[in-house]
Amino acid sequence: MNLLSFIKKNSYIIYIKSFFLPAACILFILLLIVFPNTAVESAGEGLKLWLKTVFPSLFPFLVASDILSKTGFVKCLGILLEPIMRPLFNIPGCASFTLAMGLSCGAPVGAKLTAGLRNERLLTKVESERLLAFTNNLGPLFITGAVAVGMFKMQSLGSLLLVCHILASLTVGILFRFYGKDLECKRIKYRDKNNKNLIQRFKIELNNSLNGSNLSLPKILGDSIQNSLKTILTVGGFITFFSVFINILIETGFISYLSNIIFSILYSTGINKEIITALLSGFFEITTGAHLASKAGSPFIQKLICVSFIMGWAGISIHFQVYSMISKAGISLKPYLFGKLLQGVFAAIYTFFGAKFISLSSSAVPVFNFLYPGSTLSWHQHFIISLFNVLASISIISLIAFIVLFFTLFRKIFTKA
């Protein structure tokens, strides 16, 4: 009898699951009909954000990273940076390129590069999940420009938020080095340990990169542009959809209703209701949540902590973008979501202590917004700054790699002597 009731219960669960998505789509369409003005305006804002900011900011990174991957630059760099990346994060040196790009360009480039490394079999499944957990971050221009200058009207705030965001990301990366220490990782370690020394491996890979590719530069450039356009169009679709989605939730009063419930539970903690509304909005979409937090009638420190948590978490909108890029690579989304939650918590903690010890003013120059500080950037200004960040990221990791190579050669010469 119990078995029959269990089977019957599970059949109802399967029945509900199979109709949940169609029911949700029908409800969403009805809401679009009921609130047409909200849908049209928010869709227009999403498209404007994508066309004028996201497209020119991300496109150079996507094209450059794809070209560098095809030419073998990432593999050569990875061999030199193995002594740094493996002890710190328990991932191969080739992941250093993803880390640098993830910190300097913005989501979802980190996810795109991680999936690429996994598809090229440069990372195991566990290593891919470790890497993804802390490299899909917001770009410096969004943090220092859109949030600090645009929303809070405080240029000096950008440095604090950016540093806390990066520290939180690296903290999650160090913690995730212990994630998934299974046989797969042990085999990789054993293989790397018994391989040829660093300089020999670098010479072999460099020689293979120079002589082993039959692709011409026009072919590589054309393929990279096509791949990047597919990615950027997907990102634009998600931005537009979630812009409509979050504004519909606000218009219907759903966010406000949830805020009232949570506020009644947390009333004794002293958290402002507007902060709760911002957190709920930021759970779905960063820009809306951060904007509501900056306008909240709460103590300044509460607003900073709220914004830091939202930026660390990144929002369901970006998580859907990430899933669309990693699903075919066989990478699980669960470790990534847990990592983003941890990053939000650490970013909030670092911001709390940072704001206590750093005096903030409205006169400092914002980080990376060196062309037109304090002003709204046009699409070509975003593009120029994006190109600068690409070159800066590649230069920094190349410099670190050659410092490692120099010390390796020096140690080798000193040992022989």
Side-chain angles (χ1 to χ4, degrees):
M1 192 70 179
N2 290 333
L3 180 61
L4 290 174
S5 62
F6 177 77
I7 294 173
K8 187 177 180 180
K9 181 180 179 181
N10 279 325
S11 65
Y12 279 125
I13 294 174
I14 295 172
Y15 181 80
I16 292 172
K17 284 184 177 180
S18 62
F19 280 92
F20 176 77
L21 184 59
C25 290
I26 292 171
L27 177 60
F28 185 69
I29 292 171
L30 291 175
L31 290 174
L32 293 179
I33 296 172
V34 175
F35 301 100
N37 292 333
T38 302
V40 172
E41 290 176 4
S42 54
E45 289 297 320
L47 285 172
K48 182 180 177 182
L49 173 67
W50 173 73
L51 186 61
K52 291 189 174 182
T53 303
V54 177
F55 192 107
S57 295
L58 290 187
F59 190 67
F61 283 98
L62 294 172
V63 175
S65 60
D66 205 58
I67 291 174
L68 292 174
S69 297
K70 285 182 170 62
T71 55
F73 174 82
V74 175
K75 292 181 182 178
C76 294
L77 199 68
I79 292 172
L80 295 179
L81 292 174
E82 184 85 18
I84 297 176
M85 298 300 291
R86 185 64 76 179
L88 281 177
F89 307 113
N90 198 15
I91 49 180
C94 60
S96 59
F97 182 71
T98 304
L99 174 60
M101 288 296 188
L103 289 174
S104 59
C105 68
V109 171
K112 172 72 173 176
L113 296 178
T114 301
L117 292 176
R118 174 60 181 153
N119 290 330
E120 293 178 21
R121 300 186 180 276
L122 296 176
L123 299 176
T124 66
K125 180 178 183 295
V126 173
E127 289 169 343
S128 302
E129 291 166 356
R130 284 192 195 129
L131 180 62
L132 181 64
F134 72 101
T135 56
N136 195 66
N137 300 296
L138 302 183
L141 192 57
F142 176 81
I143 297 173
T144 61
V147 177
V149 178
M151 298 178 188
F152 280 92
K153 311 300 181 186
M154 295 183 64
Q155 297 175 351
S156 60
L157 186 61
S159 301
L160 173 65
L161 292 177
L162 179 61
V163 170
C164 292
H165 189 70
I166 293 174
L167 287 177
S169 171
L170 297 178
T171 303
V172 172
I174 293 172
L175 291 177
F176 260 76
R177 75 180 309 278
F178 304 104
Y179 164 76
K181 287 191 172 182
D182 55 4
L183 293 175
E184 183 183 30
C185 295
K186 291 179 181 178
R187 286 198 297 270
I188 295 297
K189 288 180 181 179
Y190 181 82
R191 184 192 68 191
D192 291 341
K193 186 177 180 181
N194 290 276
N195 219 333
K196 298 178 180 180
N197 65 51
L198 184 71
I199 299 175
Q200 287 178 324
R201 290 166 57 200
F202 175 72
K203 288 180 179 178
I204 293 172
E205 190 58 51
L206 182 62
N207 184 62
N208 292 337
S209 299
L210 293 175
N211 302 321
S213 178
N214 295 321
L215 295 175
S216 62
L217 180 59
K219 172 66 173 174
I220 293 175
L221 181 60
D223 290 344
S224 298
I225 290 176
Q226 288 181 13
N227 294 335
S228 301
L229 283 174
K230 289 179 183 178
T231 301
I232 207 76
L233 287 173
T234 302
V235 171
F238 278 111
I239 289 175
T240 304
F241 173 80
F242 275 94
S243 178
V244 175
F245 180 74
I246 188 62
N247 280 284
I248 289 290
L249 290 181
I250 294 173
E251 188 71 22
T252 57
F254 179 77
I255 296 293
S256 179
Y257 176 74
L258 284 182
S259 299
N260 290 331
I261 295 176
I262 297 174
F263 179 70
S264 63
I265 297 173
L266 302 177
Y267 178 77
S268 59
T269 62
I271 297 178
N272 192 288
K273 180 184 172 183
E274 293 177 334
I275 291 294
I276 296 174
T277 302
L279 283 171
L280 288 173
S281 301
F283 175 80
F284 294 101
E285 202 273 323
I286 305 171
T287 308
T288 304
H291 179 73
L292 290 175
S294 67
K295 300 298 181 183
S298 306
F300 183 66
I301 189 66
Q302 283 191 16
K303 295 194 286 187
L304 284 186
I305 292 172
C306 177
V307 166
S308 286
F309 179 83
I310 290 172
M311 292 193 300
W313 165 247
I316 295 295
S317 173
I318 286 181
H319 301 338
F320 269 90
Q321 297 172 34
V322 169
Y323 182 73
S324 69
M325 295 175 187
I326 67 170
S327 56
K328 294 182 180 179
I331 303 173
S332 174
L333 190 68
K334 293 179 182 178
Y336 162 76
L337 293 176
F338 182 63
K340 295 308 292 181
L341 180 62
L342 283 179
Q343 185 172 339
V345 173
F346 282 120
I349 293 172
Y350 292 152
T351 302
F352 172 77
F353 287 106
K356 293 288 185 180
F357 295 104
I358 298 175
S359 62
L360 299 172
S361 65
S362 58
S363 59
V365 178
V367 181
F368 294 124
N369 196 5
F370 56 88
L371 293 180
Y372 302 91
S375 64
T376 302
L377 302 181
S378 62
W379 71 267
H380 65 276
Q381 292 162 6
H382 278 282
F383 184 77
I384 292 171
I385 295 176
S386 181
L387 287 176
F388 171 82
N389 288 345
V390 170
L391 295 175
S393 300
I394 295 173
S395 300
I396 290 171
I397 59 177
S398 298
L399 177 62
I400 295 172
F402 283 107
I403 289 174
V404 173
L405 179 62
F406 172 77
F407 278 105
T408 303
L409 287 169
F410 181 80
R411 186 175 60 181
K412 185 178 179 181
I413 295 171
F414 181 79
T415 304
K416 285 184 177 181

